[in-house]
Amino acid sequence: MRITIRMDDITPDMDWAKFLRFKDLLDKHDIKPLIGVVPDNRDGKLALNPAREDFWSYVKELQDGGWTVAMHGLNHLYSTREPGLFPIGGKSEFAGLPLDKQDEMIREGKAVLEEKGIFTDIFMAPSHSFDKNTLTALKKNGFKVVTDGFGTEPFRSRGMVFYPISVSRGKSLKDNRDGLVTFVYHANTMDEKDFTKLAELLGSGKVVSYGEFLKMPVKDRNIFAAAKQYILAKGKYTIVRLRK
Ligand SMILES: [Zn+2]
């Protein structure tokens, strides 16, 4: 199994020391990740440093340099407790809201990014939480791709293309089948041990740039596979909750 890297919670006021430490490791191995940029961050938990003035031109520079950019919600504020279609979290910025509200939020997020010169058709839902209305609103606003779901290859479902994330890093690393899966990172909350593990992973030669994922053929996924994924996600959420 090959691995791609996704970095969540990219904001002007994130923990820059940790972000840059992460980036240094990636650069050393010439790996370009997917980054989830919050268009208009209002989540105080993500605000760890003074906002970087040149944030948007910096993101543009990364994108021009081959990094893949996704829109990570709008404000990164959780307004509902709906887990949605991929229930590994128990809260959402989108799931459970009416379609016109979600449409407005997604349109606004896209407008903010485009005003800064950032164009993308990839969506990354805060807390992995989206529902049918989110997907409809995304399609209406020109989004084609969602970074979520379980699996080892991109798949088409409900009119969108999904690029899966790993259910279990340990299992993905031992899995010798063909395929590609995404490991999700939040640099803001990483500690020494996490950075050591990341360095080891990058040294393993299993990691490829996110762009490789986007080149893979997309398979159609039937309703049974969708149901299996839902159960797996629900199970993962329950396990995480029980551990807490
Ligand atoms: Zn997030």
Side-chain angles (χ1 to χ4, degrees):
M1 197 68 54
R2 293 178 305 155
I3 314 290
T4 56
I5 305 276
R6 152 181 157 174
M7 298 175 75
D8 292 35
D9 301 343
I10 304 301
T11 66
D13 46 7
M14 64 184 167
D15 186 326
W16 282 97
K18 286 189 180 167
F19 173 83
L20 293 170
R21 185 172 175 188
F22 200 116
K23 181 179 182 290
D24 273 352
L25 286 170
L26 294 174
D27 288 348
K28 213 179 271 174
H29 296 274
D30 198 25
I31 299 298
K32 298 174 195 331
L34 169 72
I35 51 172
V37 178
V38 184
D40 178 16
N41 180 42
R42 308 263 176 94
D43 184 344
K45 287 198 288 303
L46 304 186
L48 298 164
N49 280 179
R52 189 170 154 158
E53 296 280 327
D54 65 345
F55 176 72
W56 292 104
S57 57
Y58 182 65
V59 171
K60 181 96 183 66
E61 213 175 278
L62 292 174
Q63 193 178 34
D64 290 344
W67 286 36
T68 307
V69 176
M71 182 168 103
H72 188 35
L74 169 62
N75 305 129
H76 209 277
L77 287 180
Y78 299 116
S79 56
T80 81
R81 300 200 59 80
E82 292 292 327
L85 291 171
F86 185 60
I88 62 175
K91 54 192 178 179
S92 185
E93 185 177 12
F94 295 91
L97 297 179
L99 175 59
D100 56 348
K101 177 66 187 163
Q102 295 202 43
D103 177 37
E104 194 188 302
M105 290 165 72
I106 285 160
R107 197 171 342 114
E108 192 187 330
K110 189 181 157 99
V112 171
L113 294 185
E114 291 188 352
E115 197 194 294
K116 311 290 185 187
I118 312 292
F119 294 83
T120 180
D121 60 2
I122 308 176
F123 183 71
M124 180 189 289
S127 202
H128 309 275
S129 180
F130 53 89
D131 63 10
K132 277 184 205 165
N133 283 341
T134 320
L135 298 180
T136 304
L138 286 169
K139 276 179 261 179
K140 224 179 130 183
N141 287 287
F143 285 87
K144 296 186 168 69
V145 172
V146 173
T147 154
D148 252 317
F150 291 144
T152 56
E153 59 194 4
F155 62 90
R156 195 174 284 106
S157 177
R158 299 175 190 268
M160 294 289 281
V161 178
F162 291 80
Y163 285 81
I165 60 170
S166 173
V167 185
S168 148
R169 286 190 198 174
K171 276 187 195 153
S172 296
L173 287 171
K174 277 185 228 138
D175 194 332
N176 288 323
R177 290 173 301 172
D178 277 346
L180 228 174
V181 78
T182 308
F183 283 11
V184 177
Y185 290 92
H186 299 81
N188 280 340
T189 55
M190 281 172 67
D191 60 18
E192 280 306 314
K193 215 174 83 203
D194 297 326
F195 276 106
T196 305
K197 273 192 173 170
L198 175 66
E200 277 170 20
L201 173 69
L202 288 163
S204 74
K206 290 187 170 196
V207 183
V208 295
S209 291
Y210 203 83
E212 295 299 311
F213 217 171
L214 300 176
K215 282 185 217 156
M216 282 177 80
V218 179
K219 296 250 171 86
D220 285 315
R221 179 172 278 196
N222 65 29
I223 193 82
F224 297 107
K228 189 177 147 201
Q229 168 181 289
Y230 184 87
I231 292 162
L232 211 56
K234 198 89 193 159
K236 186 168 165 89
Y237 174 50
T238 309
I239 289 164
V240 171
R241 273 205 352 178
L242 289 175
R243 278 203 204 119
K244 278 184 186 157

